[in-house]
């Protein structure tokens, strides 16, 4: 909105000395010349600051600051990064088909057990290497410790205790556990362990340079848990509080062996290809349909929803 | 305005009282009014889990767009038009409206609908209605408008914000009062007149 005002842009004229009336200049030099000050010297116009803005020279400000005595900290273009965990699971353990369904006493179960012992040649080597660095490593104690770490980590997740969660879970696993959970409420309970946890697999990969050893141990756990996830408004999204579920899990625990302050932390989970499908979310979800050419119509009767392949994947 | 101790302006936190007593605190406001994004912050509120016998809480999604190059008064007309409509109806009306603000508002509503389905666990994208919709003044740029005879005026380059709140569910029906009902009410109010403190 433009409001016409009475004041005028006479400032430019005032810059010239034409308006000033000087008194008679006397020949006597001792008395100072009385200057008649012009009456109206108050600035009565307004120019918005945006008018005078032209790009200021950037070197000026820097030079001025240095001249004034301000000292800048030295800027480094490289920054050291400390990597404390591997990026994935090396040589993942392939859980045998029907692991939890056959008991060890049946014929199928015995075959599975023998296969497992045969597989573990590389694992024994890895365990020996781990024992070099960490002398108190035993498979029996470790499996119990692994279960404790697992329970603690999930309890921290329910309370969103970030600092403790970082110490129990590696940097690779942390975003996978916490993504999308910030504005949700998670209620998780560990009821009991159905079978004692067992170490099934171990590997000792080295990253980047030789000798930079990380130890990855896979622990098999069969337990009863309840999980209920509520969304931002307190409505149930997934699972239920009362209904417990039997869960067979393969956890991967990792530690940076060369680092004296390294700790055993949860690194990921292995989901076998024969795992039963999870319960669906309590919500109807739209799946994107097939891409149609112009002129084609979508045939709802003959269209079958494509199912994902049954592949083992690491989480 | 009385001064208590010394009042200084701190760009981060509004006015601050230096030393002095806390006698004249009535002129103190503590929120920085220039960059506060309170409307967006309402999306971050988390409610505790509901018990199974409670009624399912309706999802609320707050969305806004800042510094739209349009007048807030002109935007108000469109905002008032879609108040209380279901989201499909609102989008349809804005699509065929000729104003400049209608196109921008339609984009905002579509963004909010997508956000609702993806992030806020809304099941059906049509099951939303516009609960609140209003416009606000953005930060203006000032320029000179030249008039004749050396006169000038300060021209404002006008910007506005637009805020919308979508709620899950079907839009609430406004009670329609017929003229006969209104007349009946009027006659009843006349009949209810009494003389107070009378015999």
């Amino acid at each position: 909105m433009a409001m016409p005002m009475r004041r005028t842009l006479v400032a430019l004229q005032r810059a010239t000395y034409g308006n000033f009336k000087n008194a008679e200049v006397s020949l006597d030099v001792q008395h100072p010349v009385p200057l008649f000050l012009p009456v109206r010297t108050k600035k009565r116009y307004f120019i918005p600051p945006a008018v005078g803005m032209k790009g200021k020279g950037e070197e000026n400000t820097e030079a001025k600051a240095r001249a004034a005595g301000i000292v800048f900290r030295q800027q480094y273009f490289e920054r050291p990064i400390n990597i404390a965990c591997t990026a994935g699971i090396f040589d993942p353990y392939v859980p045998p088909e029907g692991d939890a369904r056959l008991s060890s006493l049946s014929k199928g179960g015995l075959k599975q057990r023998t296969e497992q012992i045969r597989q573990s040649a590389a694992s024994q080597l890895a365990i020996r290497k781990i024992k070099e660095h960490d002398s108190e490593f035993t498979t029996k104690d470790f499996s119990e410790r692994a279960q404790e770490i697992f329970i603690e980590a999930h309890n921290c997740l329910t309370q969103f205790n970030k600092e403790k969660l970082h110490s129990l879970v590696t940097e690779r696993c942390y975003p996978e556990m916490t993504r999308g959970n910030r504005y949700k409420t998670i209620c998780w309970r560990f009821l009991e362990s159905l079978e004692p946890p067992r170490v099934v697999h171990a590997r000792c990969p080295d990253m980047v340079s030789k000798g930079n050893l990380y130890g990855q141990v896979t622990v098999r756990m069969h337990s009863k848990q309840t999980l209920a996830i509520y969304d931002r408004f307190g409505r149930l999204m997934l699972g239920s509080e009362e209904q417990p579920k039997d869960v067979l899990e393969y956890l991967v625990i990792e530690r940076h062996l060369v680092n004296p302050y390294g700790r055993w932390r949860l690194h990921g989970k292995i989901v076998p290809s024969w795992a039963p499908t999870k319960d669906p979310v309590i919500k109807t979800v739209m799946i994107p349909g097939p891409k149609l050419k112009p002129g084609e119509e979508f045939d709802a009767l003959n269209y079958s929803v494509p199912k994902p392949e049954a592949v083992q994947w690491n989480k | 305005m009385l001064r208590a101790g010394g009042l200084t302006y701190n760009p981060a936190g509004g006015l601050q009282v230096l030393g002095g007593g806390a006698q004249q605190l009535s002129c103190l406001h503590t929120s920085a009014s220039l960059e506060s994004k309170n409307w967006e912050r309402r999306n971050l509120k988390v409610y505790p889990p509901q018990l199974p016998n409670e009624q399912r809480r309706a999802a609320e999604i707050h969305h806004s767009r800042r510094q739209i190059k349009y007048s807030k008064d002109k935007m108000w007309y469109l905002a008032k038009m879609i108040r209380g409509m279901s989201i499909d109806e609102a989008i349809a009306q804005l699509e065929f409206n000729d104003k400049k603000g209608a196109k921008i508002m339609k984009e905002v509503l579509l963004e909010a609908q997508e956000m609702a389905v993806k992030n806020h666990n809304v099941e059906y994208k049509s099951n939303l209605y516009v609960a609140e919709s209003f416009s606000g003044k953005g930060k203006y740029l000032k320029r000179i408008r030249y008039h004749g005879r050396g006169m000038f005026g300060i021209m404002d380059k006008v910007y506005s914000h637009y805020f919308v709140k979508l709620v899950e569910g079907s839009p609430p029906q406004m009670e329609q009062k017929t003229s006969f009902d209104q007349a009946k009410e009027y006659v009843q109010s006349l009949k209810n007149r009494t003389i107070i403190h009378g015999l």
Side-chain angles (χ1 to χ4, degrees):
Chain A
M1 38 178 208
M3 292 190 303
M5 296 180 209
R6 289 232 187 108
R7 307 170 217 143
T8 52
L9 276 172
V10 187
L12 296 167
Q13 294 173 17
R14 262 198 217 123
T16 61
Y17 296 97
N19 282 351
F20 297 176
K21 290 183 208 157
N22 283 332
E24 301 157 5
V25 182
S26 60
L27 297 162
D28 208 31
V29 192
Q30 287 160 2
H31 301 288
V33 176
L35 263 182
F36 278 89
L37 289 173
V39 173
R40 287 187 44 173
T41 42
K42 185 169 171 32
K43 183 174 102 166
R44 286 173 193 285
Y45 57 85
F46 166 73
I47 299 178
V51 176
M53 290 286 211
K54 279 159 199 173
K56 290 180 190 164
E58 272 163 28
E59 317 96 32
N60 290 350
T61 41
E62 218 185 291
K64 274 185 204 164
R66 231 181 276 137
I70 301 170
V71 178
F72 293 109
R73 197 189 282 184
Q74 189 187 20
Q75 288 167 343
Y76 294 100
F77 292 105
E78 304 100 17
R79 214 174 62 156
I81 305 174
N82 294 326
I83 305 176
C85 72
T86 45
I89 300 173
F90 292 89
D91 204 3
Y93 171 63
V94 180
E97 182 92 30
D99 195 356
R101 293 181 220 153
L102 301 167
S103 71
S104 343
L105 301 172
S106 67
K107 204 161 80 170
L110 276 174
K111 253 213 300 198
Q112 271 183 15
R113 295 286 168 273
T114 46
E115 266 184 43
Q116 278 166 12
I117 296 167
R118 225 185 295 146
Q119 236 183 19
S120 63
S123 301
Q124 292 294 342
L125 269 173
I127 292 174
R128 220 176 296 153
K129 254 196 204 169
I130 296 173
K131 282 195 181 155
E132 278 170 43
H133 290 271
D134 180 15
S135 48
E136 291 168 352
F137 182 84
T138 42
T139 37
K140 284 182 211 158
D141 287 336
F142 185 74
S143 40
E144 275 158 23
R145 255 178 76 191
Q147 191 164 53
E148 278 165 35
I149 293 173
F150 174 77
I151 297 171
E152 275 277 350
H154 281 67
N155 284 335
C156 288
L157 186 65
T158 47
Q159 265 112 48
F160 295 128
N161 191 352
K162 284 193 237 178
E163 295 96 19
K164 214 170 161 200
L165 195 57
H166 269 295
S167 68
L168 291 163
V169 148
T170 58
E171 286 80 32
R172 182 218 172 233
C173 187
Y174 180 82
E176 282 179 5
M177 273 182 104
T178 51
R179 186 162 295 153
N181 291 343
R182 189 145 156 234
Y183 302 111
K184 300 192 172 78
T185 327
I186 302 178
C187 295
W188 179 87
R189 261 191 4 239
F190 185 88
L191 292 166
E192 54 169 357
S193 174
L194 298 166
E195 285 173 17
R198 235 173 355 108
V199 171
V200 289
H201 191 75
R203 285 287 181 272
C204 258
D206 37 4
M207 285 266 284
V208 186
S209 59
K210 200 171 167 225
N212 187 17
L213 278 177
Y214 292 83
Q216 288 179 347
V217 181
T218 314
V219 174
R220 172 194 180 276
M221 259 180 52
H222 195 43
S223 54
K224 236 187 202 170
Q225 296 164 19
T226 49
L227 176 67
I229 304 181
Y230 298 93
D231 69 352
R232 222 188 99 212
F233 304 100
R235 314 183 293 194
L236 189 62
M237 258 174 90
L238 188 67
S240 83
E241 289 257 22
E242 287 92 35
Q243 177 69 25
K245 294 233 155 141
D246 297 338
V247 171
L248 174 64
E249 276 171 336
Y250 297 91
L251 311 167
V252 177
I253 318 266
E254 193 196 58
R255 183 186 149 158
H256 191 188
L257 296 167
V258 183
N259 179 11
Y261 302 109
R263 267 183 286 194
W264 288 104
R265 298 186 292 178
L266 184 63
H267 190 58
K269 276 190 203 174
I270 294 179
V271 180
S273 47
W274 42 263
T277 46
K278 292 194 215 176
D279 282 340
V281 193
I282 307 171
K283 179 170 120 139
T284 22
V285 181
M286 225 165 62
I287 313 172
K291 287 221 167 100
L292 300 167
K293 280 183 231 159
E296 257 187 40
E297 269 184 21
F298 174 60
D299 197 358
L301 293 169
N302 293 342
Y303 183 70
S304 60
V305 178
K307 288 214 174 97
E309 297 170 13
V311 184
Q312 165 169 317
W313 53 285
N314 314 327
K315 199 183 196 281
Chain B
M1 182 176 98
L2 291 173
R3 302 188 124 228
L7 285 165
T8 57
Y9 175 70
N10 179 4
L15 290 171
Q16 273 182 356
V17 180
L18 285 178
Q23 300 128 356
Q24 304 289 335
L25 283 180
S26 53
C27 48
L28 201 73
H29 67 96
T30 44
S31 62
S33 46
L34 290 177
E35 324 93 27
S36 49
K37 303 266 183 257
N38 290 322
W39 192 255
E40 285 83 356
R41 246 176 263 154
R42 288 185 203 203
N43 269 341
L44 307 178
K45 178 163 184 210
V46 182
Y47 292 87
Q50 278 183 305
L51 303 164
N53 53 0
E54 266 180 46
Q55 207 192 28
R56 194 174 152 96
R57 196 181 272 130
E60 292 178 353
I61 298 97
H62 300 255
H63 193 44
S64 66
R65 192 180 281 207
R66 307 275 177 173
Q67 297 296 114
I68 305 168
K69 184 73 193 70
Y70 201 51
S71 158
K72 66 169 167 45
D73 301 312
K74 295 177 194 167
M75 201 68 150
W76 181 86
Y77 288 109
L78 295 162
K80 174 80 180 155
M81 179 176 81
I82 66 166
R83 257 174 228 178
M85 285 190 187
S86 70
I87 191 160
D88 290 336
E89 212 186 315
I91 291 174
Q93 289 298 324
L94 290 172
E95 197 177 319
F96 295 104
N97 192 310
D98 296 326
K99 291 182 182 261
K100 173 172 147 180
K103 192 167 156 195
I104 300 164
M105 270 171 72
K106 190 181 130 190
E107 282 169 29
V108 173
L109 284 179
L110 287 169
E111 268 176 23
Q113 193 185 42
E114 213 197 298
M115 258 170 55
V117 173
K118 270 172 74 174
N119 303 344
H120 296 91
N121 192 33
V122 163
E123 211 171 331
Y124 305 108
K125 66 176 193 180
S126 305
N127 197 23
L128 295 161
Y129 71 93
V130 175
E132 286 173 26
S133 121
F134 54 94
S135 64
K137 171 186 173 294
K139 262 177 73 176
Y140 293 168
L141 295 174
K142 299 206 202 298
R143 299 282 180 266
I144 306 183
R145 193 198 187 277
Y146 300 95
H147 290 270
R149 290 175 153 244
M151 307 266 207
F152 70 97
I154 314 174
M155 181 160 56
D156 284 321
K157 293 289 182 187
V158 154
Y159 285 89
S160 59
H161 306 311
Y162 175 63
F163 305 94
V164 74
K165 172 168 140 178
L166 299 174
V167 173
E168 206 179 359
S170 56
Q173 261 136 15
M174 296 282 110
E175 201 196 290
Q176 300 286 341
K177 257 194 182 166
T178 58
S179 50
F180 184 69
D181 274 333
Q182 284 180 336
K184 251 174 58 177
E185 269 186 31
Y186 174 65
V187 169
Q188 191 58 41
S189 69
L190 290 175
K191 286 183 183 169
N192 288 344
R193 297 177 296 183
T194 52
I195 303 169
I196 53 168
H197 306 313
L199 293 165

